[in-house]
Amino acid sequence: MRSLRIPRATYRVQLNGDFTFSDAAGIVPYLDSLGVSHLYSSPYTRSREGSSHGYDVVDHNELDPEVGGVEGYARLVDALSERGMGQILDFVPNHMGIGPDNHRWLDVLENGPASPYAHFFDIDWYPANRRGLYGRVLLPVLGDHYRSILEGGELVLELDPESGSFSVRYYEHRCPLDPGTYPLLLGDVSEMEGEAGGELASLATAFGNLPPREDTSPEAVEERARDARIHRERLARLYAESHEAARHVRDRVELLNTEKESLHELLEEQAYRLSYWRVSSDEINYRRFFSIDDLAGVRVEDERVFDAIHKLALDLVRRGEIHGLRIDHIDGLYDPEGYLERLQKAAGEALGESGEQPVYLLVEKILAGHERLPEDWTVAGTTGYEFAERLNGLFVDPAGGDGLDRAYRRFLGEDYPDGLSFEEVLYRSKREAMRTELASELNVLSRRLLTISEGVEEASETPGRRYDFTIDALREALAEVVAAFPVYRTYIREGRISEDDRRHVEWAVGAAERRSQAADKSSFGFIRGVLLGEEESPAAPGFVMRLQQYTGPVMAKGMEDTALYVFNRLSSLNEVGGEPERFGVSIGEMHQENSYRAREWPHAMLSTSTHDTKRGEDVRVRIDALSEMPGEWRGMLGRWGRTNRAHRRRTERGVAPSRNDEYLLYQTLLGAWPFENPEGEDLESFRERIEGYMLKAVREAGVRTSWTNADEEYEEALSGFVGALLQPDSAFMSEFLPFAGRVSRVGALNSLSQTLVKLTAPGVPDVYQGNDLWDLSLVDPDNRRPVDYALRARMLEDLRERFAADGPGTARSLAGTGGWRDGSPKLHLTRCALTLRREREELFQDSEYLPLEVTGPMADHVFAYARRLGDEAAITVVPRLYAPLAPESGLLPDPTLWRGTGVEMPSGLPAPVRNVLTDETLRSPEEGRLDLVETFASFPVALLYSGKA
């Protein structure tokens, strides 16, 4: 059924122990009434214990018991099925959570390269620069240097008597011992008398005869796993049945825990090396998700791994219980295009269907402003970061760019570095990420590049030297190229490179060479040749594929996790997929974007908030309002800076907070300030949220403090500053509240316009949890707070009944001076738009996109388009740049502002034209031009329908 293959509209929920399958099943009636067709869920296969997000998957083929397991899932499926609704599942193929709850990872720690799961994880078992890690994996889990932890008794040897297995425990970390080293652990049993001594001696010999970890032949791996299991079972039985044997084992465990050098010798024989967490950036030898040590990369390009981790997901597709997949972090995969082709083929086999795209697939992909998703990918499109960025830009006034730049420079004063630009901040942030958190990966790539430069063939021991580059020169040049990359990654495959990828490589190499101060720049030409396939080396294609997996994390760490918290001129532009240096999107550009989407990706997702966005959609469009009032903003900054000067503290490293952090704080307060001024516990709760956000922001920025090197004095001063400002009787509050009230009104109007465009533009609209009302959430974990669905359900039913009784009156009352602050206008708009999508599904799935011309004195303040299919059309008309339009009370601008301004209607539309949001029939379209005085008489935005009754 097509209605289930292409969602009409989705609603994103974050599942965890506090919001389970049963809770999700409970909101299905509400979502159905809202007009949603598909529940869009965060990952719900088994994740790390206590996970709040599900992206740390430990078993892709088990439903997470913490969110309800099999029984809870069945209730959710039944609830959706009863209402003809479906599911989109967020799937994580790139990485897994590692630790004591991942049995595959534990097996790898136990058996090293000889583990049947060694191929699962992206581990460099024989790093060229660290012979001490040959056949071992680095585990950077210790809180101090290894020797200090060992001598402090924090590493504890333990026996599990039921399984007969030994492990070393470090707090929550459990590291199993290689069974081949059990003879060293059991020690000398020759002095033991009787049957128990003989049995222990036999077992020690048997464990010692296991195939070594270095033998990775299938026969040896199978033999090792089978025999180790049998021997451990024998040991467990002997431990349970023989007091003498049990006493000997306990004594040996106690002795090793006492004699640290003996324990050290045992640990040196394991398939891992325990180390201080700070060494991970330089020495770690497994691919991670960005720089997170407990998320290990999965080799999904291996067919065995692909088949193993997709069993449950494909079974749910086959059973019709999920109707699409959102693929997390597609750029982390070795071969994204190949993965998607394989997944579609597997889905087709599960469904018994043929064709390129038997299942609805979306990819989480961050596109640069000039970048397009590869058109040959077998997907419906992206999850919508680029749409959110373009749409947000529609509410940013380009004319305010220079004024905001002056305001930013003036407020920062001496703290404003010479030549500061976002481009420079991003470059420095990427270089810093490669110097610190992602240094190990750069070292590995540099050594591979050196091998290529020396002409070393994989099957040859003798280098045929072709270039005289040093490792240092290649590392520096490669770092410059990666820092200059204009996109997250390219998609070069062996023997094939697109023109877009070629252009991106040429750009990066050229920019890096121009920036470099090296005396010999020939290394850049060499790198270019390797990336473009012009260097003949069997190692070159593998290097290119690995480099493509590296540029994305560097961009993410540099951009999303650092630069977006440093360059704060207008923080609403500092978004995932955003371009802070790009100030505003014109009406023409937005039409081009929508036209392209309608033509190439008509079923991609339309998002304005996600679990990863830096601030919620309603916060973002509030801050956008500052672009329309740069002079007033500059004046307020001056007043607030003087008022709050006494709350700043002098620390050893300077004044706290810095002017840049103070600037970000003021924008954050404006964006997140509740519509109803908080008091008492509500104000305290708000203060805690802002304090938590600011601490995360300054640690991410890494300028005055960071996650790895926290400056407690600075952080305490910052928290104290926030607390001093957010006192009900503070001088700051008396100055802040009037301006915040004005900005919040403009932001609410922006939100209505933004929401209507999302719900009617080409694509599949998604509502992130809670955003059906005003939602002033910030970055995670703030955007995972509980949502009051009972309130929303009551409000929705009330709105439905009121609108059915009196549409125009209800619309006017919602936008009037009464209770608009509770979010009811946004909920009403969402219900009405999604109801029209339900009633006219083909119109929104298969129609053409028509930009509509707006004429008259307020033309620059209106964005209008039609979705037309045959003799019916849905017409969206939304105002923008609201600052001069916003009323002093309510959300309904003075209709006289629109005199002389109208929208040229598509020809040939049947009359009448009905405003879906007000249930009014409009007269003016009969003359071929929509009069905006009439259109906006009852509600701030308009969704018109012309066609079938």
Side-chain angles (χ1 to χ4, degrees):
M1 291 174 52
R2 183 172 181 181
S3 61
L4 293 181
R5 297 296 170 82
I6 301 174
R8 180 174 65 248
T10 61
Y11 192 98
R12 169 73 181 208
V13 294
Q14 296 291 111
L15 296 172
N16 51 50
D18 295 323
F19 190 82
T20 66
F21 288 137
S22 294
D23 295 315
I27 69 170
V28 167
Y30 164 72
L31 298 183
D32 184 32
S33 297
L34 190 63
V36 168
S37 68
H38 283 69
L39 184 74
Y40 167 31
S41 302
S42 62
Y44 51 60
T45 52
R46 191 181 190 107
S47 57
R48 296 288 304 273
E49 184 178 352
S51 175
S52 64
H53 48 75
Y55 289 94
D56 45 2
V57 177
V58 297
D59 190 336
H60 289 82
N61 295 317
E62 181 184 356
L63 295 169
D64 198 331
E66 289 194 10
V67 299
V70 174
E71 293 182 1
Y73 183 72
R75 284 193 289 273
L76 174 59
V77 170
D78 288 345
L80 292 168
S81 179
E82 287 174 6
R83 294 179 176 265
M85 296 170 66
Q87 258 193 94
I88 306 296
L89 173 63
D90 197 339
F91 189 79
V92 187
N94 174 68
H95 55 269
M96 296 183 77
I98 55 176
D101 35 16
N102 187 327
H103 71 92
R104 291 188 176 100
W105 181 253
L106 293 179
D107 196 283
V108 169
L109 297 186
E110 182 177 302
N111 297 292
S115 168
Y117 302 112
H119 65 283
F120 239 80
F121 302 98
D122 214 344
I123 301 170
D124 183 3
W125 288 108
Y126 300 99
N129 60 325
R130 291 305 304 271
R131 295 192 64 86
L133 282 178
Y134 271 29
R136 307 173 76 189
V137 61
L138 185 77
L139 291 185
V141 299
L142 304 181
D144 201 346
H145 293 280
Y146 167 79
R147 179 57 62 177
S148 297
I149 297 296
L150 177 70
E151 294 177 352
E154 295 177 74
L155 299 177
V156 181
L157 179 64
E158 294 179 346
L159 167 70
D160 179 1
E162 293 186 2
S163 66
S165 60
F166 293 93
S167 61
V168 169
R169 184 173 295 279
Y170 175 70
Y171 297 101
E172 74 274 15
H173 300 283
R174 185 174 72 84
C175 303
L177 298 190
D178 176 358
T181 67
Y182 282 16
L184 181 61
L185 190 153
L186 292 174
D188 184 6
V189 297
S190 60
E191 296 183 0
M192 288 186 63
E193 298 180 356
E195 186 176 338
E199 183 68 8
L200 270 181
S202 173
L203 272 172
T205 301
F207 280 121
N209 288 332
L210 289 173
R213 295 197 303 262
E214 294 75 22
D215 190 345
T216 59
S217 64
E219 298 79 12
V221 169
E222 182 179 356
E223 178 186 344
R224 178 184 173 90
R226 181 191 65 239
D227 290 355
R229 183 181 66 255
I230 293 171
H231 302 336
R232 281 195 296 256
E233 290 173 353
R234 285 178 57 195
L235 179 60
R237 285 196 300 271
L238 182 62
Y239 187 90
E241 296 170 359
S242 168
H243 295 296
E244 294 84 358
R247 182 171 61 251
H248 176 81
V249 171
R250 286 196 299 269
D251 288 345
R252 285 293 300 172
V253 168
E254 184 178 350
L255 177 67
L256 287 167
N257 280 327
T258 303
E259 295 185 356
K260 305 306 180 186
E261 205 55 41
S262 297
L263 180 58
H264 167 68
E265 292 175 5
L266 179 63
L267 290 173
E268 282 296 287
E269 297 300 317
Q270 303 309 311
Y272 49 83
R273 182 168 75 84
L274 293 165
S275 66
Y276 188 19
W277 66 268
R278 288 187 182 274
V279 310
S280 65
S281 61
D282 291 322
E283 298 187 0
I284 202 161
N285 62 331
Y286 61 88
R287 183 172 63 87
R288 301 164 292 171
F289 174 69
F290 297 164
S291 59
I292 303 175
D293 293 341
D294 57 5
L295 293 179
V298 173
R299 297 185 64 247
V300 74
E301 66 272 13
D302 186 309
E303 289 189 18
R304 297 167 296 173
V305 178
F306 178 93
D307 293 341
I309 70 173
H310 288 86
K311 288 179 181 178
L312 176 61
L314 290 172
D315 188 48
L316 297 179
V317 169
R318 179 188 60 79
R319 285 152 45 183
E321 294 177 0
I322 62 173
H323 308 113
L325 295 168
R326 179 257 196 198
I327 305 303
D328 180 64
H329 191 47
I330 190 70
D331 278 350
L333 305 188
Y334 185 80
D335 180 12
E337 183 179 351
Y339 168 80
L340 295 170
E341 291 170 352
R342 183 177 294 168
L343 182 55
Q344 288 287 15
K345 180 181 178 182
E349 292 171 352
L351 291 167
E353 295 184 10
S354 59
E356 286 190 356
Q357 298 188 39
V359 70
Y360 182 74
L361 287 187
L362 296 166
V363 290
E364 186 212 18
K365 165 63 187 167
I366 301 170
L367 296 165
H370 59 276
E371 184 184 11
R372 295 296 189 186
L373 188 69
E375 294 179 1
D376 52 356
W377 280 14
T378 53
V379 297
T382 73
T383 52
Y385 291 125
E386 71 283 0
F387 173 79
E389 187 270 336
R390 298 295 193 282
L391 181 53
N392 180 70
L394 195 63
F395 305 101
V396 175
D397 188 354
D402 290 342
L404 275 179
D405 198 53
R406 287 193 296 271
Y408 189 34
R409 290 173 179 270
R410 180 176 177 179
F411 188 79
L412 265 62
E414 295 180 356
D415 287 354
Y416 195 98
D418 291 337
L420 180 67
S421 66
F422 184 74
E423 181 181 6
E424 183 65 20
V425 170
L426 178 58
Y427 166 78
R428 295 176 187 175
S429 299
K430 292 171 75 174
R431 286 303 308 257
E432 181 66 11
M434 286 184 279
R435 189 188 69 82
T436 55
E437 297 170 278
L438 300 173
S440 177
E441 292 88 340
L442 180 64
N443 292 337
V444 171
L445 288 166
S446 301
R447 292 185 183 278
R448 291 190 179 191
L449 193 58
L450 180 66
T451 299
I452 297 170
S453 77
E454 293 176 337
V456 176
E457 303 296 330
E458 292 181 356
S460 172
E461 297 180 358
T462 305
R465 183 176 297 279
R466 293 187 294 173
Y467 296 98
D468 294 313
F469 300 126
T470 66
I471 184 65
D472 290 340
L474 286 177
R475 185 192 296 109
E476 177 61 22
L478 188 59
E480 284 288 358
V481 171
V482 173
F485 245 80
V487 293
Y488 275 70
R489 69 165 285 172
T490 49
Y491 302 97
I492 300 169
R493 303 175 86 182
E494 188 170 0
R496 198 182 83 187
I497 179 171
S498 70
E499 286 305 309
D500 283 345
D501 286 342
R502 181 178 298 275
R503 187 169 59 253
H504 294 147
V505 168
E506 298 275 16
W507 170 275
V509 174
E513 186 173 0
R514 288 190 297 273
R515 185 184 283 269
S516 173
Q517 300 297 312
D520 178 11
K521 297 188 179 183
S522 59
S523 57
F524 292 101
F526 168 67
I527 292 173
R528 175 194 174 278
V530 172
L531 295 179
L532 297 182
E534 298 169 359
E535 291 287 340
E536 295 183 4
S537 167
F543 167 81
V544 173
M545 298 296 275
R546 291 300 182 188
L547 180 66
Q548 291 180 133
Q549 286 182 289
Y550 182 63
T551 58
V554 172
M555 177 71 89
K557 292 302 298 181
M559 169 84 86
E560 299 166 41
D561 294 347
T562 307
L564 293 184
Y565 290 98
V566 174
F567 187 81
N568 296 317
R569 179 180 61 174
L570 186 65
S571 61
S572 57
L573 302 181
N574 295 10
E575 194 49 84
V576 178
E579 298 180 282
E581 72 276 24
R582 176 176 176 170
F583 212 85
V585 172
S586 70
I587 288 174
E589 289 173 318
M590 193 65 203
H591 280 312
Q592 289 178 356
E593 177 70 20
N594 282 348
S595 296
Y596 169 78
R597 184 179 292 268
R599 184 175 65 253
E600 302 294 342
W601 305 103
H603 308 308
M605 182 170 280
L606 307 176
S607 301
T608 43
S609 287
T610 76
H611 62 284
D612 279 331
T613 44
K614 300 302 181 183
R615 43 192 58 80
E617 60 194 54
D618 293 331
V619 174
R620 201 181 311 127
V621 290
R622 265 199 199 177
I623 297 172
D624 286 343
L626 299 178
S627 69
E628 298 187 68
M629 48 184 82
E632 190 173 354
W633 169 238
R634 186 169 64 249
M636 297 308 299
L637 285 171
R639 291 176 59 185
W640 296 342
R642 291 188 296 272
T643 298
N644 299 324
R645 185 182 301 148
H647 302 307
R648 302 173 79 199
R649 300 183 199 171
R650 289 204 169 274
T651 71
E652 290 185 3
R653 297 178 56 192
V655 176
S658 70
R659 296 292 274 181
N660 195 34
D661 294 338
E662 186 178 354
Y663 186 94
L664 174 63
L665 171 61
Y666 294 142
Q667 290 187 78
T668 303
L669 291 175
L670 285 171
W673 188 255
F675 282 95
E676 297 288 353
N677 292 336
E679 299 177 352
E681 292 183 0
D682 290 339
L683 181 59
E684 178 63 17
S685 176
F686 179 74
R687 182 199 62 75
E688 291 176 357
R689 287 179 53 214
I690 297 299
E691 184 178 321
Y693 169 79
M694 288 302 300
L695 286 175
K696 177 170 182 172
V698 297
R699 287 173 179 172
E700 296 280 29
V703 176
R704 295 288 296 273
T705 186
S706 70
W707 295 106
T708 55
N709 289 293
D711 184 332
E712 294 182 2
E713 186 180 17
Y714 183 82
E715 293 183 358
E716 289 175 3
L718 175 62
S719 296
F721 187 80
V722 172
L725 267 58
L726 297 182
Q727 296 297 318
D729 56 351
S730 70
F732 167 72
M733 290 295 285
S734 63
E735 296 174 345
F736 171 80
L737 290 177
F739 187 64
R742 182 183 172 200
V743 170
S744 69
R745 196 180 307 276
V746 175
L749 289 163
N750 281 344
S751 176
L752 295 178
S753 293
Q754 173 179 254
T755 301
L756 184 56
V757 173
K758 177 181 72 174
L759 296 176
T760 59
V764 176
D766 174 62
V767 180
Y768 182 74
Q769 61 177 33
N771 282 266
D772 21 9
L773 300 180
W774 310 132
D775 188 275
L776 302 175
S777 294
L778 299 165
V779 74
D780 70 279
D782 195 61
N783 60 14
R784 297 190 194 126
R785 289 175 296 143
V787 177
D788 189 341
Y789 287 109
L791 169 65
R792 284 162 172 76
R794 292 194 303 270
M795 290 177 65
L796 187 67
E797 180 61 20
D798 178 64
L799 286 171
R800 187 190 64 77
E801 293 178 355
R802 289 169 56 194
F803 192 70
D806 180 7
T810 299
R812 285 192 294 271
S813 68
L814 291 175
T817 59
W820 63 269
R821 293 177 177 83
D822 65 0
S824 52
K826 190 178 183 183
L827 184 63
H828 165 72
L829 183 157
T830 301
R831 185 191 73 85
C832 290
L834 292 184
T835 297
L836 182 63
R837 289 190 74 112
R838 192 204 306 259
E839 295 170 350
R840 297 290 180 260
E841 194 158 344
E842 290 187 359
L843 171 60
F844 286 94
Q845 285 194 355
D846 302 323
S847 60
E848 60 179 327
Y849 176 87
L850 300 175
L852 299 182
E853 182 182 4
V854 183
T855 59
M858 300 297 289
D860 289 341
H861 290 266
V862 179
F863 179 62
Y865 57 87
R867 304 289 307 280
R868 184 167 185 172
L869 181 65
D871 60 354
E872 64 175 335
I875 299 165
T876 296
V877 187
V878 298
R880 60 189 284 264
L881 307 182
Y882 269 108
L885 312 177
E888 294 184 2
S889 62
L891 296 181
L892 203 57
D894 183 352
T896 61
L897 290 170
W898 303 114
R899 284 178 182 168
T901 302
V903 177
E904 301 301 321
M905 296 287 283
S907 60
L909 287 182
V913 173
R914 180 173 62 91
N915 188 337
V916 173
L917 305 180
T918 65
D919 201 26
E920 296 172 309
T921 299
L922 304 186
R923 300 183 304 275
S924 59
E926 297 176 2
E927 302 171 1
R929 186 171 186 267
L930 189 69
D931 180 0
L932 293 188
V933 172
E934 178 188 18
T935 303
F936 294 140
S938 300
F939 203 71
V941 298
L943 173 57
L944 314 176
Y945 175 74
S946 172
K948 301 172 184 178

